[in-house]
Amino acid sequence: MIKFAIVGMGHIANKHIQAIDQIDNAQVAAVCDTNIDRLKEFEGKYPIYKDLEDMLQKQTDIDVVNICVPSGLHAPLAKIVASYGKHIILEKPMALNCDDSMEIIDAAKRANVKLSIVHPNRFRPVIQLLQETMSKGMLGKLSHANITVRWNRGQEYYDQAAWRGTKQYDGGVLMNQAIHNIDLLLWLMGPVKSVQAMSATRLRNIETEDVALGVVEFESGALGVIEAATTIYKENLEESIAIFGEKGSVKISGKNANYIETWNIEGISDEKRDEYIDRIKEDPFGKPGHQCIIEDMVTAIKEDRQPVVSGNDGLAPIQLIEAMLKSSETGERIILGKEKEI
């Protein structure tokens, strides 16, 4: 039995609890939050703690700690968890900058614990189908890709908690909302060589950006466009990813990028395409992504391997977002991994 503790009992913690409850050989062993009012909901269900180290000292049988606190607190808490020799499941984004992200990775390596980052969109049925198709080279040489996050997050969303929309604890539309799509873009298209971007705070009273645009050059030579906004009136409009190559054009869309809009690939008949479309429509969400992530951690522990979404996977979108924000600030094209700008 793999025992999990959850730190940070806000909205997303419930997804972790629901996922763990569905997994054989996994159980919630404790929960932790500095807010006693949040803990009252779980009193009598699990051991509750107000302090992370107090929990780790008293419950030595904990195997994995799921960190669900505001993003700016990820690094200090992850380093504490690693120091106690516990495996880590870390909500997105793994941190709000590259330095903190690399410190988390280093802490996990030094402690010889496993680190998994929650990027659940990889497990959507349509994304799994796209990744399998691309891994076989069926789109041929890639020309470009496009991701869009056209969502609504009104002022009341940001006013729910003082940390929302702050640079220190939350991040903006890129780090908070679009990071899942940026993760998919990198997973499917490979590393980015350079980026030029613009961002702005147009409609929301927050410290961070509520709209951002970027043009990227991948190391392969392919190009990409990133569009992300929380300013869409009056509800979520679209989340999509489109990829174009010499032998195929694919677009995945819908309000949550769950459906096939275009699937034109050399060698794929109209009948086969329609079969894919119907199959995805029957089960657009599949097994919850959080459950996939947590199940993988259970298996990774038993098989003594790295999780499928590793710390390095979590770092990659942080590097790109940090470069986009730097480009927006300076007006320059940023070469990733290098100090110079062109």
Side-chain angles (χ1 to χ4, degrees), residues 174 194-199 213-215 319-336 341-342:
L174 290 172
S194 69
V195 62
Q196 184 142 15
M198 299 180 72
S199 66
L213 303 172
V215 178
Q319 290 174 321
L320 177 53
I321 291 169
E322 198 170 73
M324 289 180 69
L325 294 175
K326 184 177 181 181
S327 175
S328 176
E329 197 176 292
T330 64
E332 302 292 333
R333 180 182 174 195
I334 304 299
I335 307 297
L336 271 72
E341 304 166 8
I342 61 172

Side-chain angles (χ1 to χ4, degrees), residues 5 13 24 38 55 76 100 102 121 128 141 144 154 160 167 185 196 219 225 235 245 309 313 315 335:
D24 293 336
R38 285 183 184 162
M55 178 183 72
D100 282 350
M102 289 186 285
N121 293 15
Q128 289 280 306
K141 185 177 181 180
H144 66 293
Q160 287 177 31
K167 293 181 179 180
L185 184 71
Q196 184 142 15
E219 289 185 1
V225 175
E235 60 187 15
V309 187
D313 291 321
L315 172 63
I335 307 297

Side-chain angles (χ1 to χ4, degrees), residues 124-313:
R124 290 175 176 173
V126 70
I127 298 299
Q128 289 280 306
L129 176 62
L130 177 56
Q131 194 278 333
E132 179 185 355
T133 299
M134 293 184 66
S135 69
K136 294 177 181 177
M138 294 180 68
L139 299 188
K141 185 177 181 180
L142 301 176
S143 65
H144 66 293
N146 175 280
I147 60 168
T148 60
V149 180
R150 295 169 177 162
W151 282 355
N152 171 274
R153 295 292 184 271
Q155 190 61 45
E156 65 279 2
Y157 166 84
Y158 294 102
D159 291 343
Q160 287 177 31
W163 58 269
R164 289 186 183 273
T166 63
K167 293 181 179 180
Q168 185 175 2
Y169 293 112
D170 190 26
V173 64
L174 290 172
M175 198 69 80
N176 198 349
Q177 282 79 31
I179 191 166
H180 286 310
N181 311 79
I182 292 171
D183 169 67
L184 294 181
L185 184 71
L186 297 173
W187 189 44
L188 295 168
M189 296 292 292
V192 167
K193 178 181 178 182
S194 69
V195 62
Q196 184 142 15
M198 299 180 72
S199 66
T201 308
R202 292 291 298 163
L203 302 182
R204 309 301 177 226
N205 182 25
I206 55 176
E207 291 182 353
T208 53
E209 81 285 350
D210 58 15
V211 59
L213 303 172
V215 178
V216 302
E217 176 190 12
F218 295 96
E219 289 185 1
S220 67
L223 303 180
V225 175
I226 296 169
E227 175 192 343
T230 55
T231 58
I232 305 305
Y233 179 82
K234 59 181 177 176
E235 60 187 15
N236 290 0
L237 175 64
E238 177 185 16
E239 177 188 353
S240 67
I241 180 165
I243 299 179
F244 305 95
E246 61 180 333
K247 296 181 179 180
S249 298
V250 172
K251 184 178 181 183
I252 308 303
S253 65
K255 287 190 176 182
N256 294 104
N258 286 98
Y259 299 95
I260 295 173
E261 181 176 326
T262 301
W263 195 274
N264 297 323
I265 301 174
E266 184 179 292
I268 300 294
S269 67
D270 291 349
E271 291 77 16
K272 189 66 174 178
R273 177 201 62 203
D274 292 343
E275 179 187 320
Y276 288 154
I277 291 172
D278 291 340
R279 191 209 320 169
I280 297 301
K281 281 182 179 178
E282 288 176 6
D283 186 17
F285 290 94
K287 182 186 293 186
H290 281 76
Q291 184 176 338
C292 295
I293 292 283
I294 295 169
E295 279 182 344
D296 176 68
M297 176 61 84
V298 171
T299 306
I301 292 170
K302 292 181 177 180
E303 296 179 354
D304 193 23
R305 61 164 174 80
Q306 288 300 307
V308 293
V309 187
S310 67
N312 286 333
D313 291 321

